[in-house]
Amino acid sequence: MTAAPLLSVSGLCKRFGPTLALAGVDLQVRAGEVHALVGENGAGKSTLLKVLAGVHTADDGEVLLDGLPFAPADPAAARDAGLAIIHQELALAPHLTVAENLFLGREPRRGPFVDRRRLRELATAALAQVGRGQLDPDTAVGALPPADRQLVEIARALSGDVRLLILDEPTSSLARADVEPLLQRLRELAARGVAVVYVSHVFEELFAVADRFTVLRDGATVTSGAIADTDHDRLVAAMVGRSVTDLYPRSRATPGAVVLELEDVAGVRLPRRATLQLRAGEVLGIAGLIGAGRTELLRAVFGLDPVVAGRVRVAAFEGAAPPAARWRQGVGMLSEDRKAEGLMLARSSAENVWLPVLAQKARGGFVAPRRLEQDAMPWLQRLAVRCAGGSQAVGELSGGNQQKVALARLLATGCEVLLLDEPTRGVDVGAKAEIYAAIDELAHRHGTAVLVVSSYLPELLGIADRIAVVCRGEVLPARPVGECDEHALLAAMTTGALTGEGA
Amino acid sequence: MNPARLLRAMGPSLGLFVTWLLFAVLAGGKFTSWSNTELMLLQTAVVGTAAVGATWIIVSGGIDLSVGSNIALCTMAGAGVLQAGGGLWLALVATIATGTLVGWLIGALVVGALPRVLVTLGCGGGVFLVAHGLGAWAWPLGVLAGAVAWLSSRRLSWKLPLSPFIVTLGLWGTLRGLAKGLGDNQPIYFERNDTLAGLMVTGGVLPAGVWILLAVAAIAAVLLRRSVFGRRVVAIGSSRQTARLCGVDVPRTEMGVYLLGCTCAGIAAVLQLSYLSMGDSTTAQGYELKTIAAAVIGGASLAGGEGSIGGTLLGALIMTVVDNGCTKLGLDNWVQEVVTGGIIVGAVALDRLRLARR
């Protein structure tokens, strides 16, 4: 222990209605260090960040900044105290220029007007701080590539008097080549005495950049220490709270006939060339970087985006088809964007479950809401959805339960081919385990064909029977999961070439 | 139903009761009498019927700013048929069908079928001009040709979706202009028709116009709550993307919403025609905002996915009660307008407050 920590959080609690989002968080961050904050989705990381940022107020516990009690009333107060947060979703105005975004709300003025020349100078200086001094400050932010946008956001955060910089999964929208420069900047910042809190799911980044770490699980601190004293497996075990093998149940797979066949399928932009076969009773995992065309592949198969070339076959049905036809053919899709596309948040679970087959559930064109609710209950119960009944609005449920409602839709409508896009995004560990168990049961006991897209490789390795990598719009040949490991998959995702004996 | 939802559903009824009670206390017997109640119901008939259609459109996530102009155009069409001696039934068909046609136009533009609309209008208009010598027959022939062009242009896949706000903002002017052009800037007068005029006269248990409103509302409510089509409309308003993912044919359903909503405007125009006993191109000004206000006071959300026909009727009644009550108190027109505006904002603010409390 050298110096007193810059930020000291102890016993922090935060309650939302009946759920305890934070149940005793301890976190010590020193000036000049990069501190990795890890935990599964739903472990309380975002809530903790929101309390620090002044979005939420804590119910109990203590936060000290530089030894003084710190309880910002709103985000502006937190900023004034020298705390900057960069969120996963970028908060930039796309129509304004880089310079305008950087100094939004504190523009240099000359009388009532913006001093544009000074604005440009300040912007260039701020961009130089993050190593992008050559960027034209008059470009509209909307025209920048994602990596540059992320750097603009960081430059904005740093252009104030920042003592504590918090980054919430800053690399999730970045290409791999842009990650290393960003990490380099963070190390430089830390060397200048800024305390950096780094939230990420990518362990390689954490091990590359962090000095110390803190693990959250179920809203509480589980462990913390120097990153040099731990390793990948111990971190995962601390996050998950059990050994990883328990999380992924796996029954014996007995693949049947090919039910989904793609041959050189191309979409408008992505995918560029997709060839794959999915058999009944197997789980085929799709790995790939963000932007590689994973989601676009599923959307094209499901008819949400047009197929411009190639051949699609679902069971006996040849050719592209709109979503309505796909549902009738027994194909169901789970969207990666649960809140905007996956579910109608303001409507009940029952309505969400039955929407694709409303006409079949109707008698003479009319439906009975009560009956829909009753009919939905067995499916909701089967996935252990915790809700007040089929009539409760889905938006009132937790993320994990929402996702289970979306999955219940696929079960209840009797789908035989499931297209699952990030089925466990934003879902807590408990719900994850239940979703994995459901996928295993469907595929390996009931003979359902499951195509799973996931960014989280351990998950794919845990649940899939075969894994295919998508790189720049092309699907590489699938391999049995036994021949895959994280490093080989990662290499294939970035280079587009399969390595190892199976290639 | 849990208490919070019950309260939400009861909100508009409570609002109506409180407003009514307020004027009952202030104005007394001349406000509470049966004849005045009957009058108020009659005063609600036109706006109420149009607001039922507006509710469908709003629940689907759309909006119709052209409903006032549409009603005026419909009365001109109906009056034109009566003036030409076409008879009552043909006049009713022409009035309502004009509304439905406008619904087709809005729907087609909203779902992006602009090229097909142009082809349809071109063919329909061309046939109409060629057949002009045939007199009254030119109209149905034009419509028929348009319908054929519409159906046979299905292959035109080029799509250009437009926002309903913009489409109906444009039609707000266009339809009013067409209405004026139809009568050469003059109202269209016709020989008095007792059956038509009788729709909007007090007497019997309730005036016929009120029965028409109730019938339209009842059918619309059952369809919205229970029919597959109605539930899909709610789904689209709640989340278009989810609806699309779940295989709902969004353009087709939206088309249906505007056809249905604007047909309600056509029915409202029949009542307006009966009330005015002439076709008036300047009538129903500001009804677009009144119908939206009725729906919003009744609990509809302009973001879509929420709203009920019953609530909208209560919302329309609240506005009538304010209008009528202020008149009975001898208050100036401007007072009514100020109070009505306050009620709209107040009703929505109360609703938000209830939601925030949860």
Side-chain angles (χ1 to χ4, degrees):
Chain A
M1 288 286 140
T2 45
L6 176 72
L7 176 76
S8 168
V9 175
S10 49
L12 200 66
C13 292
K14 175 70 190 172
R15 188 178 284 283
F16 292 110
T19 52
L20 201 55
L22 297 181
V25 171
D26 299 313
L27 174 69
Q28 316 273 322
V29 186
R30 299 179 201 140
E33 75 167 357
V34 177
H35 194 104
L37 182 63
V38 289
E40 290 276 32
N41 289 324
K45 287 171 301 179
S46 357
T47 312
L48 171 62
L49 298 192
K50 281 179 179 159
V51 170
L52 293 178
V55 177
H56 297 319
T57 32
D59 295 328
D60 201 8
E62 189 183 43
V63 182
L64 298 177
L65 188 68
D66 243 356
L68 300 171
F70 176 65
D74 53 43
R79 230 174 5 249
D80 292 343
L83 182 140
I85 293 199
I86 289 157
H87 292 285
Q88 210 171 339
E89 296 93 22
L90 298 185
L92 296 169
H95 296 101
L96 298 185
T97 66
V98 170
E100 285 168 334
N101 266 292
L102 283 172
F103 293 93
L104 193 59
R106 49 202 174 93
E107 302 86 350
R109 288 154 185 260
R110 185 185 289 153
F113 300 103
V114 175
D115 184 346
R116 298 207 67 92
R117 194 187 324 157
R118 176 128 184 75
L119 178 68
R120 225 167 285 139
E121 285 165 14
L122 287 172
T124 308
L127 290 169
Q129 250 198 332
V130 293
R132 291 294 280 143
Q134 72 276 31
L135 204 66
D136 179 7
D138 289 331
T139 326
V141 160
L144 293 179
D148 278 347
R149 277 185 235 178
Q150 186 67 271
L151 288 172
V152 168
E153 175 109 15
I154 292 170
R156 178 165 72 181
L158 293 178
S159 61
D161 184 17
V162 173
R163 291 188 291 167
L164 177 61
L165 177 66
I166 301 175
L167 300 105
D168 189 2
E169 300 200 34
T171 53
S172 61
S173 58
L174 294 190
R176 214 172 159 70
D178 296 315
V179 172
E180 181 47 37
L182 174 67
L183 298 184
Q184 182 60 35
R185 301 280 162 258
L186 294 181
R187 279 189 291 263
E188 286 166 21
L189 283 170
R192 280 183 4 216
V194 176
V196 179
V197 175
Y198 192 83
V199 180
S200 178
H201 284 304
V202 187
F203 287 120
E204 290 78 10
E205 291 171 19
L206 299 179
F207 284 109
V209 76
D211 303 306
R212 296 196 314 133
F213 71 94
T214 295
V215 179
L216 296 189
R217 190 198 329 140
D218 300 333
T221 298
V222 187
T223 177
S224 66
I227 204 99
D229 299 340
T230 188
D231 59 30
H232 180 278
D233 290 348
R234 272 189 276 174
L235 269 187
V236 173
M239 282 164 66
V240 178
R242 53 183 134 172
S243 76
V244 184
T245 42
D246 296 340
L247 194 59
Y248 306 111
R250 187 189 281 276
S251 317
R252 214 158 58 84
T254 43
V258 174
V259 288
L260 173 68
E261 191 172 13
L262 308 183
E263 233 182 84
D264 296 331
V265 169
V268 174
R269 202 176 60 80
L270 286 169
R272 294 194 310 171
R273 210 158 55 99
T275 302
L276 63 80
Q277 290 190 335
L278 176 66
R279 292 176 178 277
E282 74 162 350
V283 180
L284 175 59
I286 303 279
L289 299 174
I290 288 169
R294 305 168 309 178
T295 296
E296 290 81 355
L297 172 68
L298 295 198
R299 295 183 72 86
V301 170
F302 203 62
L304 287 165
D305 291 338
V307 173
V308 293
R311 195 173 139 252
V312 186
R313 181 175 70 81
V314 173
F317 305 98
E318 193 73 44
R326 288 294 184 226
W327 285 105
R328 279 196 302 274
Q329 295 165 2
V331 186
M333 179 166 157
L334 187 82
S335 170
E336 59 163 348
D337 189 350
R338 181 173 65 232
K339 289 183 191 305
E341 183 172 52
L343 293 166
M344 305 178 284
L345 293 180
R347 311 306 312 175
S348 69
S349 326
E351 278 181 275
N352 273 289
V353 164
W354 296 120
L355 184 58
V357 290
L358 211 50
Q360 286 99 296
K361 297 293 291 178
R363 286 185 191 149
F366 287 86
V367 292
R370 196 68 47 80
R371 222 192 63 205
L372 290 186
E373 284 162 23
Q374 282 166 5
D375 291 357
M377 280 321 285
W379 299 104
L380 298 175
Q381 279 160 1
R382 195 170 142 195
L383 287 171
V385 176
R386 275 167 285 278
C387 64
S391 65
Q392 192 181 16
V394 167
E396 295 171 8
L397 306 179
S398 76
N401 284 308
Q402 288 181 9
Q403 194 71 334
K404 286 193 268 179
V405 171
L407 196 58
R409 176 192 291 150
L410 306 188
L411 306 194
T413 50
C415 295
E416 282 158 20
V417 180
L418 306 187
L419 311 175
L420 309 179
D421 198 356
E422 301 280 6
T424 60
R425 173 178 286 179
V427 161
D428 56 87
V429 186
K432 261 186 189 176
E434 281 158 358
I435 290 173
Y436 296 146
I439 292 174
D440 177 62
E441 193 190 329
L442 282 167
H444 301 142
R445 301 254 172 88
H446 300 294
T448 309
V450 184
L451 196 63
V452 186
V453 164
S454 175
S455 302
Y456 189 48
L457 291 179
E459 170 176 297
L460 279 187
L461 291 165
I463 60 173
D465 301 312
R466 292 188 300 144
I467 297 182
V469 168
V470 181
C471 182
R472 292 183 216 101
E474 301 205 14
V475 179
L476 308 179
R479 282 179 172 186
V481 71
E483 296 172 19
C484 299
D485 62 54
E486 232 173 291
H487 292 289
L489 286 176
L490 227 80
M493 282 157 64
T494 44
T495 61
L498 289 173
T499 52
E501 70 279 19
Chain B
M1 206 184 265
N2 60 36
R5 267 166 83 179
L6 193 67
L7 190 69
R8 191 167 156 73
M10 290 295 289
S13 339
L14 276 174
L16 177 62
F17 179 69
V18 170
T19 333
W20 183 85
L21 198 67
L22 180 74
F23 285 108
V25 170
L26 292 175
K30 62 187 170 185
F31 176 78
T32 56
S33 73
W34 173 244
S35 65
N36 189 53
T37 306
E38 207 178 359
L39 182 69
M40 285 195 288
L41 291 174
L42 201 54
Q43 285 170 336
T44 311
V46 178
V47 170
T49 308
V52 167
T55 307
W56 271 81
I57 293 169
I58 289 170
V59 167
S60 82
I63 198 154
D64 182 7
L65 297 175
S66 67
V67 67
S69 307
N70 188 5
I71 290 174
L73 180 65
C74 293
T75 65
M76 293 296 278
V81 170
L82 282 171
Q83 190 189 42
L88 178 62
W89 289 107
L90 195 58
L92 294 184
V93 169
T95 312
I96 297 172
T98 304
T100 312
L101 271 180
V102 170
W104 161 80
L105 182 60
I106 298 174
L109 290 174
V110 165
V111 302
L114 180 64
R116 288 178 71 192
V117 168
L118 293 178
V119 169
T120 304
L121 291 180
C123 290
V127 168
F128 174 78
L129 288 178
V130 169
H132 204 57
L134 295 172
W137 281 105
W139 290 99
L141 281 176
V143 170
L144 192 68
V148 170
W150 170 254
L151 292 176
S152 50
S153 64
R154 194 167 289 183
R155 293 273 168 132
L156 270 179
S157 59
W158 188 61
K159 289 266 190 285
L160 185 74
L162 300 167
S163 95
F165 189 97
I166 300 300
V167 168
T168 59
L169 183 64
L171 287 177
W172 169 80
T174 306
L175 299 178
R176 183 73 67 183
L178 281 177
K180 288 177 180 164
L182 214 54
D184 230 350
N185 279 317
Q186 300 295 319
I188 298 181
Y189 300 99
F190 50 85
E191 207 172 309
R192 185 184 158 78
N193 182 309
D194 286 333
T195 319
L196 181 64
L199 290 178
M200 294 292 277
V201 176
T202 54
V205 184
L206 280 173
V210 175
W211 285 117
I212 291 176
L213 165 65
L214 292 177
V216 168
I219 294 169
V222 172
L223 280 179
L224 185 61
R225 292 175 71 123
R226 292 293 175 96
S227 75
V228 170
F229 173 64
R231 296 326 290 170
R232 286 181 175 165
V233 169
V234 175
I236 287 178
S238 189
S239 168
R240 288 172 70 92
Q241 279 182 288
T242 309
R244 190 155 171 262
L245 177 81
C246 288
V248 174
D249 189 337
V250 176
R252 206 185 155 104
T253 310
E254 269 193 318
M255 196 76 209
V257 167
Y258 286 100
L259 284 174
L260 202 85
C262 292
T263 302
C264 288
I267 298 171
V270 169
L271 302 180
Q272 187 76 341
L273 187 66
S274 151
Y275 179 70
L276 297 172
S277 284
M278 63 174 183
D280 184 357
S281 60
T282 62
T283 192
Q285 304 233 23
Y287 275 32
E288 50 282 337
L289 299 185
K290 279 192 180 180
T291 53
I292 294 168
V296 166
I297 294 174
S301 158
L302 288 181
E306 261 179 83
S308 73
I309 304 294
T312 297
L313 286 191
L314 292 167
L317 277 171
I318 289 175
M319 288 195 293
T320 311
V321 164
V322 172
D323 279 4
N324 180 290
C326 286
T327 312
K328 287 290 180 294
L329 288 175
L331 294 170
D332 260 349
N333 199 35
W334 66 265
V335 181
Q336 300 171 17
E337 287 169 7
V338 169
V339 171
T340 308
I343 284 179
I344 295 169
V345 177
V348 175
L350 275 177
D351 204 42
R352 291 281 164 272
L353 201 66
R354 263 207 308 273
L355 285 177
R357 281 276 173 78
R358 272 208 313 236

